[in-house]
Amino acid sequence: MTAPDATSSAAPAPATSWRDSLAVYLQPRVLIVLFLGFSSGLPLALSGSTLLVWMREAGVDLKTIGLFALVGTPYTLKFLWAPLVDALHVPLFTRAFGRRRGWLVFSQLLLIVAILLLAMTDPARSPFYVALGALLVAATSSTQDIVVDAFRVESLPESEQAAGMAAYVAAYRIGMLISTAGALFMVSGFESTGITRTSAWMWGYVVMAAMVLIGTITALVATEPAQSARADAATQAAPAFDRVIQAAVGAFSEFLTRKDALVALAFVVLFKFTDAFSGTMTAPFVIDLGFTRNDYAAIVKGVGLAATLVGGFAGGFVARRYPLAASLWIGGIVQALANLSFSWLAVVGTSQWALAFAICAENFTSAIGTVIFVAYLSALCQNPLHTATQYALLTALAAVGRTYLSSGAGFVAAATGWPMFFVICVLVAIPSLVLLAWLQKRGHFDALGPVRV
């Protein structure tokens, strides 16, 4: 998923009453975006945290599990093929449903097939085929994200953009909850009927694949955005590869001419690294301590979601209350120190209350850091000619820590043990804080000006 932009070019007109404020969420276009948000959020965990629980229960070693962070590569590189989605038509689908809806239906059908292929694998016997299936899920899911983002922007008028984004983000989180907590409860339910654990996991993923049809039905019910025809004409004016090269070169050249640009890019890569490094191993850590998959579903995903939502509001308050540099210091420090709660949990052992505390601390502080970080990324994208391209590239760089740098977390955990591993997760935040101090001293944040969240 592309991180939702926290800025707006124009403040929405104030609602005349609370009824008007609520009514916008019932507009058909906003409801369409809501269900598409669910469809976008659903597959992310199926190649991520839910899959890691399945692999750990199947006896896959920590080093291999850590390397599975690499299957998130398509989410990092999706900006490379986004122009193809804009420029190319899908045979039969585009003619039947239109430019955007054709891509929506096509990508969702591919996603269903990818999830079913992943369901047929066995982590204990063929980790390679599991990795291949997870990579296909990530690739088709990220393609769906590209189309949904374009459909949302093109289909909603200015007065409904804010409500559409709010509905999309909320539904996205619900989709993630269904594919984590919901999927784990479902697997436990299937297993309780007497079928084998492997079959239970397979049927759990089959049900998740069927739930993608919610997005497909939504795409069929929706109408093609009016802007799509105009965009289609603009797309035909130049080859897709020429456009992406020109946009990328322009965005990079404009950014790299800024003072301390390379240091700022390194800071973008490293700021959320502390979260990514610990997050890669959270699922196997919880299972290793002796918690059940139902404990993981209810506490890590259920309680954790509530803590994330509250942390998001807290992060918004911090970003509005303090200057950007001070906000980044607050977010960077609290998200790093929260890892110590997992070190404490590793000593305490199997205590549901201790797990709930650690998860709440981690998710709450991570959300604070994320909101402030999104505000910073938005502030970096100041040239209106390159805003979309620069933001896509910056979010791709931000994902490097999650996808690549964190892939060695399993080796560190296996070598040090869980209590020391999470202490190391705190220490890996130090480079980003050093870069933050450097940028602040050099006047980097003063040059960005005030940031609106």
Side-chain angles (χ1 to χ4, degrees), residues 225-449:
Q227 297 182 32
S228 184
R230 296 192 295 271
D232 193 19
T235 299
Q236 295 175 358
F241 285 106
D242 288 352
R243 288 202 334 274
V244 72
I245 291 174
Q246 292 171 5
V249 170
F252 267 117
S253 60
E254 190 275 333
F255 190 92
L256 292 176
T257 57
R258 301 179 188 179
K259 180 182 177 182
D260 300 319
L262 294 179
V263 179
L265 291 177
F267 177 71
V268 167
V269 172
L270 294 175
F271 183 75
K272 296 295 291 181
F273 180 41
T274 180
D275 271 356
F277 202 70
S278 61
T280 300
M281 304 309 297
T282 298
F285 165 64
V286 171
I287 298 301
D288 272 7
L289 281 188
F291 292 99
T292 67
R293 73 169 71 98
N294 286 349
D295 291 331
Y296 181 87
I299 298 176
V300 176
K301 295 305 179 181
V303 177
L305 174 62
T308 298
L309 295 177
V310 175
F313 285 110
F317 171 80
V318 171
R320 287 189 293 269
R321 177 67 177 81
Y322 300 102
L324 180 57
S327 299
L328 286 168
W329 276 109
I330 293 172
I333 291 173
V334 298
Q335 69 182 9
L337 292 179
N339 288 306
L340 295 177
S341 64
F342 285 116
S343 292
W344 170 74
L345 176 61
V347 175
V348 171
T350 311
S351 167
Q352 292 182 336
W353 288 106
L355 176 61
F357 172 80
I359 291 299
C360 285
E362 194 276 334
N363 284 25
F364 177 78
T365 57
S366 176
I368 291 175
T370 297
V371 169
I372 296 168
F373 187 54
V374 167
Y376 173 63
L377 294 183
S378 301
L380 290 176
C381 303
Q382 295 181 335
N383 190 328
L385 295 177
H386 307 302
T387 299
T389 303
Q390 284 182 340
Y391 196 87
L393 293 173
L394 288 172
T395 53
L397 283 174
V400 168
R402 181 183 70 244
T403 304
Y404 298 108
L405 299 182
S406 62
S407 62
F411 293 90
V412 177
T416 64
W418 292 120
M420 183 54 64
F421 169 74
F422 289 107
V423 172
I424 293 173
C425 291
V426 177
L427 298 179
V428 299
I430 293 177
S432 69
L433 298 179
V434 171
L435 293 177
L436 176 57
W438 172 270
L439 290 171
Q440 187 175 12
K441 182 179 179 180
R442 298 273 292 177
H444 171 75
F445 300 101
D446 295 334
L448 294 178

